[in-house]
Amino acid sequence: MEVTVDVVGGDTETYAVDDDATYADLIRAAGFHPQEASVLVEGSPVPGDRPVDADRVRLLRLIRGGTTGLAAAGE
């Protein structure tokens, strides 16, 4: 099955995934780890373990904040 992925703030690509692929598999195919991105289908987030059932989705990269450990290291 082919799925078009619109990365929010990025490119749009089409990926071929197995018929039994999950949304976590699709996130990996797009080059991200499932913990750093979420898939939106018709504007709503879907769980990573749900089988892919849409032919076009949006991928939202999650933004991390906070310190990088410099404060903890005393720098």
Side-chain angles (χ1 to χ4, degrees), residues 35-54:
Q35 292 181 341
E36 66 179 324
S38 291
V39 172
L40 306 174
V41 175
E42 296 180 9
S44 296
V46 294
D49 61 352
R50 178 173 150 184
V52 176
D53 58 359

Side-chain angles (χ1 to χ4, degrees), residues 1 17-26 48-53:
M1 115 185 281
V17 295
D18 293 335
D19 289 338
D20 62 347
T22 64
Y23 283 105
D25 296 328
L26 182 60
D49 61 352
R50 178 173 150 184
V52 176
D53 58 359

